[in-house]
Amino acid sequence: MSITKESELLGMQKASDAVAYTLKEMIDYAQPGMSTKELDQYGAKILSDFGAKSAPHLTYGFPGWNCISVGNEFCHGIPSVKRILKEGDLINIDVSAELDGFWADNGASFVLGKDIRQHQKIVNASREILEKAINNIKDGVKISDIGYIMETEAKRRGFKIIKNLSGHGIGRSLHEQPDEILNYRNRFDQRRFKKNAVVAIETFISTNSTYAIELNDGWTMVGNNGGFMAQHEHTIVVTDGKPIILTEKNGIFN
């Protein structure tokens, strides 16, 4: 969507605060021995208290409130009583929701407890790349140039990017134009970011793979060449200068 009046900005901020606070609280709540189902239900309660509804459930019928992916799962992991979190796990939580007709999206990867499996490096890379990408977005900037920043920064750190996952426009629904805000430069993409546009910018930084493939459960995605992936995501408003980070309260840049 494009913000055209103050009430729309306030509506987007309210929805973004809900998903940002929920994500931060879920990360803090996660601990070894807990199931991803329990973690999801904790997040669901927080969203419900805001009056928000799960965006993936509303839009796609996703079997949970939030996507929780663990280990070699890249994204869209289904919360389960059977999936028990362990010390050192690489975890990704993606929280998106609808509140009073406005939709917001954010996500983060993190290491649970001690970094005994050496995942912190990719987590840090994903976070830093997202921050650099967002800091370069303003009115008139080519969408593909932001993809170029993401790809080159990933390569510089020894990582790859996932080519079939992307950021997207958001606001009055979960996925809007501009779609396919990719993590690499598509030289055929001549689109530019426009002032007042609301977009969800997200990284997909990988150790081994360049494509995500779906498992038989119809949701969970893993890498075509295995390995691990880290993702961080903010919902932002494009301006003439630095973007407004609507989901800043998730604290992922702190």
Side-chain angles (χ1 to χ4, degrees), residues 71-74 88-92 108-111 115 117-130 153-155 157-162 183 203-209 226-232:
N72 68 335
E73 298 171 349
F74 279 17
D89 272 347
L90 175 62
I91 302 171
N92 178 266
S109 293
F110 63 100
V111 175
D115 185 28
R117 299 184 181 91
Q118 279 70 58
H119 292 311
Q120 194 61 51
K121 185 181 176 185
I122 193 172
V123 169
N124 292 346
S126 173
R127 184 190 300 111
E128 290 162 10
I129 291 167
L130 179 65
E153 288 294 320
K155 283 182 178 177
R157 291 168 169 82
F159 296 112
K160 304 175 188 295
I161 53 90
I162 300 301
N183 279 205
T203 53
F204 300 98
I205 310 303
S206 167
T207 57
N208 298 65
S209 294
F228 301 92
M229 188 192 81
Q231 178 255 21
H232 287 82

Side-chain angles (χ1 to χ4, degrees), residues 36-193:
T36 55
K37 181 74 170 179
E38 182 182 345
L39 182 58
D40 183 53
Q41 288 174 335
Y42 179 77
K45 173 71 164 59
I46 298 171
L47 284 175
S48 294
D49 288 346
F50 275 102
K53 298 174 183 174
S54 165
H57 180 72
L58 277 178
T59 306
Y60 302 113
F62 180 74
W65 274 71
N66 308 282
C67 299
I68 305 175
S69 309
V70 183
N72 68 335
E73 298 171 349
F74 279 17
C75 59
H76 305 160
I78 301 170
S80 170
V81 292
K82 296 178 181 178
R83 185 57 136 152
I84 306 300
L85 301 180
K86 301 183 184 68
E87 185 83 17
D89 272 347
L90 175 62
I91 302 171
N92 178 266
I93 301 175
D94 196 305
V95 181
S96 55
E98 178 272 336
L99 178 58
D100 297 333
F102 295 95
W103 301 63
D105 195 356
N106 70 163
S109 293
F110 63 100
V111 175
L112 186 63
K114 295 178 182 176
D115 185 28
I116 56 178
R117 299 184 181 91
Q118 279 70 58
H119 292 311
Q120 194 61 51
K121 185 181 176 185
I122 193 172
V123 169
N124 292 346
S126 173
R127 184 190 300 111
E128 290 162 10
I129 291 167
L130 179 65
E131 188 165 19
K132 183 162 187 175
I134 288 175
N135 285 338
N136 280 276
I137 293 173
K138 63 180 179 180
D139 182 47
V141 169
K142 272 190 175 182
I143 288 174
S144 62
D145 285 351
I146 298 304
Y148 179 73
I149 289 172
M150 290 179 167
E151 184 175 28
T152 53
E153 288 294 320
K155 283 182 178 177
R156 189 170 69 80
R157 291 168 169 82
F159 296 112
K160 304 175 188 295
I161 53 90
I162 300 301
K163 294 189 173 184
N164 63 328
L165 297 174
S166 65
H168 50 92
I170 192 169
R172 289 297 189 178
S173 60
L174 180 57
H175 291 105
E176 298 179 347
Q177 296 297 324
D179 62 354
E180 294 195 341
I181 302 175
L182 299 165
N183 279 205
Y184 67 96
R185 171 179 276 162
N186 172 7
R187 61 190 179 91
F188 300 108
D189 186 359
Q190 299 301 312
R191 298 173 300 164
R192 296 177 184 272
F193 287 102

